[in-house]
Amino acid sequence: MPVATLSTKPSFSMAPTLGQAHPFTLLSHPLLQTSFYGRFRHFLDIIDPRTLFVTERRLREAVQLLEDYKHGTLRPGVTNEQLWSAQKIKQAILHPDTNEKIFMPFRMSGKLLGPFWFWSWLNQSHNACVNYANRNATKPSPASKFIQGYLGAVISAVSIAVGLNVLVQKANKFTPATRLLIQRFVPFPAVASANICNVVLMRYGELEEGIDVLDSDGNLVGSSKIAARHALLETALTRVVLPMPILVLPPIIMSMLEKTALLQARPRLLLPVQSLVCLAAFGLALPLAISLFPQMSEIETSQLEPEIAQATSSRTVVYNKGL
């Protein structure tokens, strides 16, 4: 691949806010990934919707710049900001295991962009593809596994979401006020449980075959089913937290705002205020959820299979949790 030059004046800055103040390394991030705040700031970069519009040429330039850095052939004058910017582009677009492009609608940044069952199917179909595209891909997965997982994930997820909604609508024992309150909050348990089913079924192959675990030097130690269980559990927990800001916070906030003198005197403001509250919740939900755990998670070798513990002298190993 010919050496490409990275523009010193990109159309917008892709660099993390604190990138200029931290020396660049390939194996770290300008914000510490050991803290929730550091991961939150990191994933705000990764889900930046602007990365959806990065051109193929810009991606090649970013990858080439990182390769030049890795092999010590970096041209003079390249700044930390440019290197962090290049790494952000690569992490947002390419899969960390295969270095292949994730199809645009199924990247994490793509999640920021009829009848109830139809929207549930559409949402869970998108979730299934996102879960598959951002899985641990150290083991090849045949197309048949994807189809089986997709059908199981979508059918179970839509059944749960629609079933709970219908159950509440047919509940006659509640007073109208109680029913209205439950209807406001029922989407959360419906979506959360559907999301768990979606993750587990779309990534079930990892539980069967295990995932690769690496030592501190990045060397392959072995394949672990226990690490796969940890990866799926951590990912499932993020999918429980993901709808919370979207489905729980707006009803709470709006129930308080509706009682204010401003909205009672100006009911026309109700819709735009609710839209702003929902927009803020949507913007915070994804980075908050996926920041709960680092993507490259660490686990003690003593918790893994005996053959894994015997294959390395490292006390801990790392694995790609997926997103």
Side-chain angles (χ1 to χ4, degrees):
M1 182 185 294
V3 176
T5 58
L6 190 66
S7 172
T8 57
K9 293 183 179 180
S11 56
F12 58 87
S13 176
M14 286 280 203
T17 306
L18 302 182
Q20 294 180 357
H22 293 73
F24 177 81
T25 64
L26 286 171
L27 299 179
S28 68
H29 186 267
L31 295 159
L32 291 177
Q33 294 297 282
T34 53
S35 70
F36 174 80
Y37 177 71
R39 293 193 296 271
F40 177 69
R41 290 291 302 274
H42 167 64
F43 286 118
L44 277 178
D45 286 331
I46 299 305
I47 67 169
D48 187 342
R50 294 175 299 176
T51 60
L52 294 171
F53 305 103
V54 170
T55 63
E56 186 70 27
R57 178 174 176 271
R58 178 86 168 111
L59 175 61
R60 288 198 304 268
E61 290 174 349
V63 171
Q64 184 62 54
L65 194 66
L66 296 174
E67 286 295 311
D68 291 345
Y69 175 88
K70 181 178 179 180
H71 296 103
T73 58
L74 202 61
R75 68 184 187 277
V78 175
T79 65
N80 278 330
E81 182 181 4
Q82 288 176 286
L83 290 168
W84 286 123
S85 174
Q87 181 149 289
K88 172 179 175 177
I89 291 172
K90 181 180 178 182
Q91 290 177 341
I93 298 175
L94 302 182
H95 194 285
D97 293 331
T98 63
N99 277 326
E100 295 178 354
K101 287 178 68 175
I102 297 174
F103 186 44
M104 186 185 294
F106 307 140
R107 298 173 196 163
M108 278 298 171
S109 51
K111 286 188 72 65
L112 293 176
L113 301 176
F116 182 74
W117 68 266
F118 172 77
W119 295 115
S120 296
W121 165 79
L122 195 63
N123 177 52
Q124 292 301 331
S125 293
H126 182 249
N127 286 344
C129 292
V130 168
N131 290 332
Y132 182 81
N134 293 279
R135 73 197 186 285
N136 179 296
T138 53
K139 295 286 188 299
S141 180
S144 59
K145 290 271 187 182
F146 169 77
I147 295 172
Q148 290 172 9
Y150 169 77
L151 291 175
V154 171
I155 290 172
S156 61
V158 172
S159 299
I160 291 171
V162 175
L164 281 176
N165 190 62
V166 171
L167 187 65
V168 171
Q169 287 180 348
K170 292 186 176 181
N172 298 319
K173 295 181 179 180
F174 301 122
T175 63
T178 304
R179 223 162 135 196
L180 179 62
L181 184 65
I182 294 176
Q183 283 177 337
R184 280 188 168 189
F185 287 98
V186 75
F188 170 65
V191 173
S193 53
N195 286 350
I196 293 174
C197 289
N198 203 315
V199 168
V200 173
L201 289 172
M202 285 306 299
R203 296 178 54 179
Y204 187 76
E206 297 173 33
L207 295 175
E208 292 182 323
E209 300 183 17
I211 59 176
D212 289 352
V213 293
L214 313 172
D215 62 19
S216 56
D217 296 321
N219 300 314
L220 176 64
V221 176
S223 183
S224 171
K225 294 181 180 180
I226 295 176
R229 287 204 297 270
H230 278 260
L232 259 67
L233 176 60
E234 291 172 348
T235 306
L237 286 174
T238 67
R239 297 307 191 268
V240 172
V241 174
L242 180 59
M244 287 180 68
I246 302 171
L247 300 177
V248 175
L249 289 182
I252 294 175
I253 295 172
M254 288 307 301
S255 64
M256 293 187 295
L257 292 179
E258 286 169 0
K259 298 174 183 177
T260 62
L262 176 65
L263 289 184
Q264 287 183 347
R266 298 174 177 82
R268 290 185 179 181
L269 291 177
L270 189 62
L271 183 59
V273 168
Q274 187 170 16
S275 300
L276 288 174
V277 170
C278 291
L279 183 63
F282 270 104
L284 287 173
L286 185 59
L288 279 173
I290 62 177
S291 300
L292 289 176
F293 306 99
Q295 182 169 1
M296 298 304 295
S297 292
E298 191 175 55
I299 187 172
E300 293 187 2
T301 52
S302 59
Q303 298 181 34
L304 301 179
E305 294 86 345
E307 59 270 21
I308 299 290
Q310 294 170 5
T312 180
S313 58
S314 297
R315 188 177 64 86
T316 61
V317 290
V318 297
Y319 58 90
N320 175 19
K321 171 185 68 68
L323 290 179

